[in-house]
Amino acid sequence: MKKICFLAVLLSLFTSLPAEEYPLYDFENYEIGTEFLLKDVSGNPVSAKSYAVVAADPTGKDNKVLHVLLVNSWNTYPEYPLPDGFTAAEFCTYQSVAFSLYRPQVLPKNNDNMQTAIYLGDKKIYQEEHPNYPDQGERGKWHEKRYAFTPVETEASYFLLGLHADTMEYYLDNIRLVRVEKGYDYTDETQTLRYYVEQCGNGKHIGVATPSSWKNVIDLNNDLLDMSQTVFRNFNMVVAEDDMKFDAIEPNRNDFNFGYADALVDFAERHGMKVRGHTLCWHKQLPEWVTKNEDRNSHNYSREELLSILRNHIDTIVSHYKGRIAEWDVVNECLEDNQRSYYYGESYMYDLRASVWSKGIGGKLGWGDENVGGDFIDSAFVYAHRADPDAKLFLNDYGVENRGRKADAYYYLAKHLVDNNIPIHGVGLQCHFKAGELDSAGLVRQIQRFQELGLEVIITELDIASSDKQADEFRTITNIFMEQKNCPNMVLWGVSDRDSWRSGALPLLFDADLAAKPAFFAVRDALEKAWNDILSVAPVPNDARPQSPYVDVYNFAGQKIASGMRRESVNFLPTGIYIVDGEKIMVR
Ligand code: G3I
């Protein structure tokens, strides 16, 4: 029956009716020359040379459109009254605003002048975020734009819609509201990803990175938002895509900014989600006071000073979240992409990336440039461990998921840390894959050899470029995640294709309208299969040998959770699968 329902959902995805639309403005009932008010949301006067006026379609069709010309009028948009009797609350029952855009000019160099914003009254409900706004279609042609917005409570009688432009000319037409078919119902928990992961009872987590744009548009206390619900109903782990990085948390020396990160941790706790911390020590997204160039120590800090900056940063953050952030990416992307060689006699070799940390702190670990050393790696792990001895600590990198020199270098680096008793619990494989790049045998081999070192392996930043195989590739990697015992978490790097850092690649599970893509159903199918496989484990006869009344109990991930427990007490453990006397026992 379930399979039939699933097929029906899939079928409906491909045959789905056009999204329901409410037309707002096509300008056909206006006289050419009718002016629309321009509104500056920052309260600055609008330049007298700026205007928004109904005009003929510049492509020569018999059609009326709105022509907007802004001259030094940053943050200024045309204002559109809501139709009579149509309230702001009704507006908010739709999820997206769509319109056609025509741009006669070449794009300005930095593309900054083409950022769409939508306000309902004085409340911003959408602002296009970097890196998506360069996607402005071809100059001199009409193209469609559609944006999912954040509903707000307001009694406003107008909305603003336009481009966050300085000196820019554009035309708009066919402004409408769109209600989108999601393809599944997240209010029914049995249709979500989280449900199947948790049913398996093996302590695994499926996670997601919350996009940096959340900071500007998502009220983390509003659990009714479509975006929030998509996240907390489908995932039981969350990572901040950018908001816990060095520049976000310590923008000025010893001046820590926890506001948004705290709100995200509160959000996660309210929804029973675990938090991964990303990331404590990286060469990128550093504030200028640390370095102006990511590959050097531009302020010429001494080794001692840099160690003290690193220690203070890690100590303050990890202590702040002690007991609340379960695991940290401590050192991120410290290896060079091109590794020369990786094994030399009794020593491990790897080329470390040049960064403020490797150059300024130095040390013997690593075989890169002679001035590049790895002492910062050992130190970062030790600082983090001292600040929260219960947090799990990870290396994280890309290009190390399959086979090859960098993958080997990653293994030897982790081995070096383990051999030297550095407190590391695992490694992250980012898994930003191009279409066809996933090598499942290579990935399994890589996961398993870290297991031999006693390390966990987490899929930390999964996204896979769109292709006709995208759904299959997501299914394959989800199967690997569920099958590999030392792979407790799989984290998607973003929610919807609209917010992805690889926007053109459409690499995630939800499209720009948060509708579920075939990739979502493939992941859910794989998770459901894992649950069905556990259910179908044949009960093991228990009269084969004399039984001790006391048993050690392990969870499905192989961690001991009780010693010498009375055998009958096992039945009172939380629902899940346990290993008792080497046999799988299911507690319902
Ligand atoms: O915060 C500024 C904002 O003030 C400014 O107006 C805007 C306009 O340029 O830029 C904003 O900063 C951007 C930041 O994301 C937050 O949105 C940066 O320019 C942009 O470069 C940055 O991109 C992030 C990237 O890391 C930086 O390297 C991506 O969102 C993020 O997905 C990506 O994530 C990394 C992982 O941390 C590590 N692994 C690779 C992965 C992909 O690159």
Side-chain angles (χ1 to χ4, degrees):
M1 180 60 186
K2 248 185 195 157
K3 282 276 170 298
I4 293 173
C5 293
F6 178 64
L7 281 179
V9 171
L10 261 189
L11 208 64
S12 73
L13 258 188
F14 295 113
T15 57
S16 67
L17 297 167
E20 192 187 330
E21 294 197 352
Y22 184 95
L24 285 166
Y25 280 88
D26 66 5
F27 307 103
E28 294 309 314
N29 297 330
Y30 291 83
E31 295 291 326
I32 299 274
T34 308
E35 287 200 27
F36 275 62
L37 195 65
L38 282 174
K39 199 146 194 168
D40 180 326
V41 295
S42 316
N44 298 318
V46 174
S47 149
K49 292 182 193 155
S50 304
Y51 59 77
V53 65
V54 176
D57 185 334
T59 60
K61 286 189 197 135
D62 186 13
N63 177 33
K64 290 181 200 162
V65 300
L66 189 70
H67 180 198
V68 185
L69 179 91
L70 299 177
V71 180
N72 296 325
S73 297
W74 188 253
N75 223 346
T76 297
Y77 311 96
E79 176 182 307
Y80 314 82
L82 291 179
D84 281 348
F86 186 77
T87 62
E90 231 168 312
F91 186 109
C92 287
T93 64
Y94 290 81
Q95 291 114 17
S96 304
V97 175
F99 60 94
S100 313
L101 173 72
Y102 176 91
R103 154 178 83 76
Q105 294 164 303
V106 286
L107 283 173
K109 256 197 197 137
N110 58 7
N111 292 337
D112 270 358
N113 292 355
M114 296 297 286
Q115 188 178 7
T116 297
I118 310 167
Y119 285 72
L120 192 50
D122 58 1
K123 297 200 170 156
K124 179 155 69 181
I125 58 172
Y126 181 73
Q127 181 167 321
E128 206 168 10
E129 272 302 313
H130 176 89
N132 299 335
Y133 52 80
D135 176 25
Q136 298 302 344
E138 208 180 315
R139 171 188 171 217
K141 282 196 174 154
W142 283 99
H143 64 279
E144 279 293 294
K145 299 194 99 179
R146 188 159 90 190
Y147 299 102
F149 63 80
T150 306
V152 285
E153 269 187 36
T154 168
E155 292 181 1
S157 57
Y158 66 91
F159 69 98
L160 307 179
L161 165 67
L163 303 177
H164 188 53
D166 185 357
T167 297
M168 197 68 210
E169 184 182 9
Y170 57 90
Y171 296 80
L172 299 178
D173 198 9
N174 296 323
I175 304 172
R176 58 212 191 273
L177 293 167
V178 181
R179 191 173 285 135
V180 178
E181 284 295 327
K182 294 264 182 271
Y184 79 119
D185 175 5
Y186 56 46
T187 63
D188 169 1
E189 65 170 6
T190 66
Q191 297 190 36
T192 66
L193 307 181
R194 178 175 183 163
Y195 175 78
Y196 292 101
V197 173
E198 292 183 348
Q199 283 302 304
C200 288
N202 50 14
K204 296 204 184 219
H205 286 78
I206 183 153
V208 71
T210 54
S212 27
S213 54
W214 266 34
K215 188 158 58 189
N216 299 327
V217 290
I218 299 272
D219 172 2
L220 287 170
N221 292 313
N222 183 350
D223 289 342
L224 296 176
L225 301 183
D226 200 21
M227 185 72 154
S228 311
Q229 297 203 57
T230 302
V231 167
F232 71 75
R233 292 180 186 278
N234 279 301
F235 301 94
N236 56 359
M237 172 171 262
V238 81
V239 185
E241 182 178 3
D242 286 300
D243 300 300
M244 289 189 190
K245 291 174 178 171
F246 209 125
D247 59 351
I249 293 256
E250 194 183 353
N252 301 300
R253 191 162 180 178
N254 208 23
D255 173 10
F256 288 84
N257 174 7
F258 287 114
Y260 186 77
D262 280 356
L264 188 62
V265 174
D266 290 345
F267 168 86
E269 288 176 347
R270 197 165 66 246
H271 296 295
M273 306 167 88
K274 242 178 162 176
V275 184
R276 293 200 87 233
H278 176 86
T279 174
L280 297 170
C281 178
W282 192 23
H283 62 284
K284 283 192 171 176
Q285 282 172 290
L286 292 170
E288 283 205 359
W289 70 265
V290 175
T291 187
K292 288 186 182 157
N293 305 84
E294 61 180 45
D295 60 351
R296 74 186 75 132
N297 176 12
S298 70
H299 300 303
N300 288 318
Y301 285 121
S302 67
R303 169 184 161 92
E304 288 66 36
E305 180 113 42
L306 270 179
L307 280 169
S308 130
I309 288 171
L310 188 63
R311 184 175 58 234
N312 187 49
H313 182 75
I314 293 180
D315 189 37
T316 308
I317 298 175
V318 177
S319 308
H320 181 83
Y321 291 114
K322 188 170 190 292
R324 299 181 75 195
I325 291 195
E327 58 192 47
W328 282 100
D329 286 334
V330 178
V331 173
N332 199 36
E333 301 173 3
C334 65
L335 289 173
E336 266 296 331
D337 288 346
N338 295 317
Q339 295 287 323
R340 287 171 294 181
S341 178
Y342 48 84
Y343 191 72
Y344 179 74
E346 291 302 302
S347 313
Y348 314 119
M349 285 175 68
Y350 18 76
D351 290 300
L352 291 178
R353 180 192 293 279
S355 71
V356 58
W357 311 115
S358 64
K359 287 200 139 181
I361 294 173
K364 291 215 172 78
L365 171 63
W367 292 75
D369 179 307
E370 59 182 17
N371 297 318
V372 170
D375 280 4
F376 74 98
I377 304 175
D378 306 32
S379 303
F381 276 93
V382 170
Y383 299 151
H385 183 63
R386 284 194 195 140
D388 183 355
D390 293 328
K392 289 192 173 172
L393 306 180
F394 290 79
L395 277 175
N396 187 39
D397 218 321
Y398 63 87
V400 293
E401 297 84 355
N402 300 324
R403 298 167 233 231
R405 284 191 173 179
K406 193 172 178 191
D408 288 342
Y410 199 43
Y411 168 79
Y412 284 120
L413 171 58
K415 180 165 168 37
H416 164 87
L417 297 176
V418 170
D419 289 350
N420 286 280
N421 296 320
I422 301 297
I424 177 173
H425 301 93
V427 298
L429 308 180
Q430 293 187 6
C431 299
H432 295 294
F433 289 134
K434 292 185 229 137
E437 191 184 346
L438 168 64
D439 161 9
S440 45
L443 178 61
V444 168
R445 169 184 169 272
Q446 186 70 326
I447 293 175
Q448 289 181 349
R449 68 172 167 164
F450 283 108
Q451 183 169 15
E452 287 156 19
L453 293 179
L455 293 177
E456 291 186 346
V457 177
I458 289 178
I459 295 169
T460 46
E461 303 182 15
L462 178 61
D463 51 22
I464 305 178
S466 178
S467 76
D468 56 353
K469 299 270 183 326
Q470 187 185 48
D472 283 342
E473 292 183 324
F474 270 109
R475 184 193 314 278
T476 302
I477 196 162
T478 309
N479 285 334
I480 293 173
F481 154 59
M482 291 308 278
E483 281 160 11
Q484 297 302 313
K485 282 203 172 135
N486 63 324
C487 184
N489 310 325
M490 179 172 94
V491 179
L492 277 295
W493 202 244
V495 187
S496 84
D497 286 340
R498 190 193 72 196
D499 300 304
S500 166
W501 71 292
R502 305 166 71 186
S503 58
L506 308 177
L508 294 169
L509 304 185
F510 301 96
D511 73 9
D513 295 312
L514 291 176
K517 293 165 55 183
F520 167 89
F521 293 102
V523 170
R524 195 181 70 182
D525 204 17
L527 298 174
E528 187 178 359
K529 175 180 167 300
W531 168 231
N532 285 334
D533 286 351
I534 289 172
L535 282 181
S536 65
V537 170
V540 183
N542 60 1
D543 54 357
R545 58 181 187 274
Q547 292 181 334
S548 156
Y550 299 100
V551 291
D552 291 344
V553 181
Y554 296 81
N555 67 14
F556 207 56
Q559 296 148 334
K560 191 188 270 188
I561 57 160
S563 309
M565 179 183 248
R566 283 200 69 83
R567 185 175 291 273
E568 58 273 23
S569 303
V570 171
N571 295 323
F572 300 102
L573 286 168
T575 307
I577 309 286
Y578 299 93
I579 315 288
V580 178
D581 272 357
E583 292 160 5
K584 283 183 197 156
I585 303 288
M586 187 152 115
V587 178
R588 286 175 188 270

